[in-house]
Amino acid sequence: LRFYAPVFQAQGLEPVAGGGVADDAGTDPLAPGSPVGAALAIGDLNITGIGTVTLVDGRTVYAFGHPFLSAGAIETPMTEAQVLATFPSISASFKLANATAPVGAIVRDGLTGIIGEQGRVASLIPVTARITSGTATRTFHYDIVRHRSWSPVLLALTLANSLTRTTEFDPSVTLKLAARIDVKGKPEVRLEDLYSSPNPAQPLHLALANEIAGLFNLLYNNPFEAIDVASVEADVQVLPPARVARLASLRASDTDLRPGDTFTVTAVLASFRGEERSVSWKVTVPEDMPPGEAQIIVAGGSALDGLDRRVLERRLAQAGGLKDMMRVVGDLRPSDGLYLRMVRRAPSAIVRSDLLPDLPLSIFSVLNNPRLSADTTLMIEAPILELSKSLDVVVVGGRRISIKVK
């Protein structure tokens, strides 16, 4: 909870561990002065704001007397509550309370309080996390509120909670992720990656949870169209021990080449608390490659995506629609891959979300037009080819060497 507490505190909320959740609603109906809850997440983790009922008018409940999230129109479960203890404080008083199962839905969060409707069922986003270690699998189920700001935060928090509630979890292990975001009327969005670090100061469960939440946020808050998320699922395998390798060195069998020549590039990986291993590629210089100097870059997926960050940001910014945006996201490289790229200095451009390498100067000059600047980004380095190898470790860092084409 402490990792995500600043997000709540920025909204004037103080998250504290509660007493628990009752399976059924209480026997006493909601009435002025009774405690009431507005739930942001329910299931194997419940996140509920507790306040006081102001007025009950038929099925309509007015409560809190102040904003909750200042969200305006919202749909989230309304619960009854039982206050166990009150902790008065000049800076920030708070209560420990039990919430019940939903008895309705909050439909409005405004300046003077929240409005709920008894008997109404809130439309939420189902989240399922399956954590597998060895032969045992634990499954966690949650339902989180649909909200542009809070849904990504709650998704990250619930997924991180699933990992830390697994007894086999250890910060020094490796996590293998296969996640799916089901959007109604759209192709399923998938994210598969490997997470590992020998540094205990870099919590793996947060890196994994935040990456899924980041992808969700990109889709949910896209500037093109509203989407209806049907569900989010994450399958995580716990694989001890840490599987990390550093790119120690890089060499080529020949650096003076002609178009059509084939040469060998070898990368040496130094495993964490393990032996070195070599990974090699047979690389052929393209027949149409002009004379000059070129660069061979070998890096892990995360490092190469970091090198391409500006390109990725421009492709996303210039995307022509949600389909374009999802295609760019699909081009992100997993961390358990080792990639070889050959580049050279040549006029290139990003038009909308498409990368156009090695352009003729005539076309490059046309694209260098102020009227096209909003949809075009010009570059002076062109990728010639890219090769990859899938490994069973997270590769950290990258190296580059130069070759000459005669």
Side-chain angles (χ1 to χ4, degrees), residues 263-334:
F263 63 106
T264 302
V265 176
T266 302
V268 178
L269 303 178
S271 300
F272 174 68
R273 294 179 179 173
E275 298 180 352
E276 290 187 344
R277 60 190 287 191
S278 297
V279 180
S280 298
W281 290 268
K282 292 288 187 182
V283 183
T284 300
V285 180
E287 294 282 357
D288 59 350
M289 187 165 176
E293 188 175 278
Q295 300 283 319
I296 300 293
I297 302 171
V298 174
S302 297
L304 200 55
D305 282 344
L307 189 65
D308 290 345
R309 182 172 299 279
R310 177 175 175 270
V311 175
L312 290 169
E313 288 175 349
R314 294 309 304 164
R315 290 181 66 193
L316 285 172
Q318 296 171 192
L322 182 58
K323 184 178 179 180
D324 277 354
M325 180 179 287
M326 294 172 71
R327 180 165 55 86
V328 174
V329 170
D331 291 340
L332 294 175
R333 304 170 182 88

Side-chain angles (χ1 to χ4, degrees), residues 177-200:
L177 168 69
R180 295 167 297 283
I181 302 175
D182 184 12
V183 181
K184 292 182 179 179
K186 303 290 182 182
E188 187 178 65
V189 180
R190 289 180 170 268
L191 173 64
E192 296 183 2
D193 212 343
L194 199 67
Y195 303 82
S196 189
S197 172
N199 186 357

Side-chain angles (χ1 to χ4, degrees), residues 41-59:
I42 58 175
D44 288 312
L45 173 68
N46 284 263
I47 303 173
T48 305
I50 303 297
T52 305
V53 174
T54 304
L55 175 68
V56 178
D57 182 10
R59 295 176 57 189

